[in-house]
Amino acid sequence: MTFITLDEDRPLRAVVVGAGYIGGQWAPELLAHPGTELVGWVDVVEERARAAATTLGLDGLPVSASLTAVLDGEEPDFIVNCTIPEAHREVTVTALERGVSVLSEKPMSITLDEARTMVRAADRARRLFAVNQNRRFLPNLVAFRRTVAELGPLGLLTSEFFMPYEGPPFLSALEHPLLQDMAIHLFDLARAVSGADPVSAYCESFRSPWSWYPGACSATAIFEMTGGLRYTFTGSWSAPGQATSWTGSWRAAGSHGTARWDGSGRPTVETVKEHKARRHPPEPDRYPGRPRFSGLAEGLEEFLTGLRTGRAPQGECHDNIRSLAMVTAALESARTGTRVPVAFDV
Ligand SMILES: NC(=O)c1ccc[n+]([C@@H]2O[C@H](COP(=O)([O-])OP(=O)(O)OC[C@H]3O[C@@H](n4cnc5c(N)ncnc54)[C@H](O)[C@@H]3O)[C@@H](O)[C@H]2O)c1
């Protein structure tokens, strides 16, 4: 899909929507980038936006509880949607319908129907809409992806995610918090690492009796992917002890050998005799010495390049909806107890 590019020689005007945890991480990125200007901050709780701006020394920054007032008043080029997932559709579509591009936090939305509405709104407006999947930019994930690409055709990709975690209140309101909020990170990485797309899903999502979440926050899922690859995910937010990294723990088995990655350090690889796969090193940090939430600066850079050149960034909505479709198919499978085809048509 093509979107309108921005050719004017000036910093691009940005508004952050949502002044919770991740909004507070995105605003410094917009301030640090020479090609962007932070021109407003919106939160349904206006005092939250005011307090967040004050914390960054931005006392004069326009803040409001009204998205439309800030869009009309400040005329931004793009927003960064940092609201809770339930608000993503409304915020994103409101911006797109006013001709404003959107860089969104994951997940794109809760349901696939909402996502389709958002992608169609981007198509109609001919504006760039992308979801930043920050883990795609981790230097050792990139190294793992490069190593896996040298393993020949893949047969099996596995990821385990075990992290005891008490998240923000919106998570406790979800029926399947692990699948609805977290799993998208790993499902999206499975696509990034393998280059394959989902075909079908079988999933069980459940609540262990000791869990501190009312909803189901343990799950195991098997995906058939294109090329006959099987991708499996097992994870829990209420499994105390022996935590994995926040990116999980990975194994990829191809015709030439196997690569493993613990989700943080350097990947390892072992191949059969006649084949070689390099143990790729991590990319050097492009932003050394600056404390930051990883993968936001890189995602912003790709998004801005997209706005300037028309080159779709990773996470462009027509691509990212495929990762969301893995989540929604897994949820449907968990609810029906059946294997479910993964559909991501718009
Ligand atoms: N990439 C990552 O690793 C990562 C990490 C944390 C959160 N997130 C994602 O970021 C999003 C926000 O998470 P959070 O932890 O910052 O949540 P949060 O609850 O801390 O903050 C959300 C904020 O959005 C505001 N809000 C809700 N509806 C709104 C609306 N319609 N308009 C304007 N503001 C609205 C709330 O008042 C709140 O201040 C979620 O989608 C979450 O999954 C991603």
Side-chain angles (χ1 to χ4, degrees):
M1 109 95 181
T2 52
F3 46 85
I4 290 168
T5 53
L6 299 170
D7 305 324
E8 291 162 57
D9 186 18
R10 58 168 176 80
L12 299 183
R13 296 168 64 78
V15 165
V16 174
V17 188
Y21 172 71
I22 207 76
Q25 307 298 315
W26 271 105
E29 296 300 340
L30 296 163
L31 294 171
H33 199 291
T36 57
E37 187 186 354
L38 179 60
V39 297
W41 206 330
V42 175
D43 197 292
V44 276
V45 185
E46 188 174 320
E47 305 79 67
R48 229 175 253 171
R50 168 59 59 217
T54 303
T55 303
L56 294 174
L58 306 170
D59 294 327
L61 185 76
V63 298
S64 175
S66 165
L67 173 61
T68 50
V70 174
L71 293 179
D72 294 344
E74 303 307 321
E75 300 188 343
D77 298 297
F78 70 99
I79 65 160
V80 185
N81 188 348
C82 302
T83 61
I84 56 174
E86 289 81 352
H88 284 184
R89 182 191 54 78
E90 189 201 332
V91 167
T92 289
V93 171
T94 300
L96 290 170
E97 285 178 346
R98 280 174 162 70
V100 176
S101 299
V102 178
L103 176 57
S104 179
E105 260 306 333
K106 44 60 60 178
M108 184 187 290
S109 57
I110 298 271
T111 70
L112 204 54
D113 278 347
E114 287 175 319
R116 288 186 174 114
T117 303
M118 296 156 92
V119 175
R120 286 184 201 132
D123 286 347
R124 267 197 312 276
R126 298 181 55 225
R127 291 299 186 279
L128 175 57
F129 165 38
V131 177
N132 189 53
Q133 301 280 174
N134 65 310
R135 284 157 176 78
R136 282 192 177 222
F137 300 104
L138 291 174
N140 275 314
L141 179 280
V142 177
F144 182 56
R145 178 163 54 74
R146 288 177 179 155
T147 299
V148 170
E150 296 179 2
L151 294 178
L154 287 187
L156 198 57
L157 180 66
T158 68
S159 65
E160 287 193 331
F161 174 86
F162 288 95
M163 179 62 69
Y165 175 61
E166 284 185 56
F170 77 82
L171 286 180
S172 292
L174 299 176
E175 198 185 344
H176 299 269
L178 183 75
L179 285 180
Q180 287 170 297
D181 186 75
M182 181 66 213
I184 186 82
H185 281 303
L186 288 99
F187 295 178
D188 182 69
L189 287 187
R191 291 185 52 238
V193 165
S194 67
D197 275 323
V199 175
S200 70
Y202 176 77
C203 179
E204 299 201 1
S205 174
F206 52 98
R207 180 184 183 280
S208 303
W210 59 84
S211 174
W212 45 91
Y213 286 96
C217 70
S218 298
T220 187
I222 306 169
F223 292 92
E224 183 186 342
M225 309 287 285
T226 47
L229 169 70
R230 296 299 191 279
Y231 162 60
T232 69
F233 163 86
T234 302
S236 179
W237 256 338
S238 55
Q242 299 276 342
T244 61
S245 79
W246 272 98
T247 314
S249 173
W250 293 77
R251 173 188 282 262
S255 61
H256 302 170
T258 291
R260 295 178 74 180
W261 182 45
D262 67 4
S264 55
R266 249 186 103 173
T268 57
V269 62
E270 188 179 340
T271 51
V272 289
K273 254 194 213 131
E274 61 275 24
H275 288 287
K276 277 207 169 70
R278 273 166 296 167
R279 189 180 175 216
H280 285 270
E283 291 281 289
D285 185 356
R286 280 191 266 163
Y287 309 89
R290 183 155 71 80
R292 63 194 185 91
F293 191 91
S294 61
L296 304 192
E298 294 89 339
L300 177 63
E301 195 64 58
E302 273 198 13
F303 183 79
L304 296 175
T305 301
L307 284 178
R308 291 299 194 184
T309 66
R311 191 166 70 229
Q314 297 186 63
E316 193 277 328
C317 58
H318 295 83
D319 183 83
N320 188 262
I321 196 171
R322 297 168 185 225
S323 301
L324 183 74
M326 292 173 77
V327 174
T328 56
L331 284 164
E332 191 186 335
S333 172
R335 286 174 184 137
T336 59
T338 58
R339 179 176 164 135
V340 168
V342 183
F344 43 78
D345 55 292
V346 175

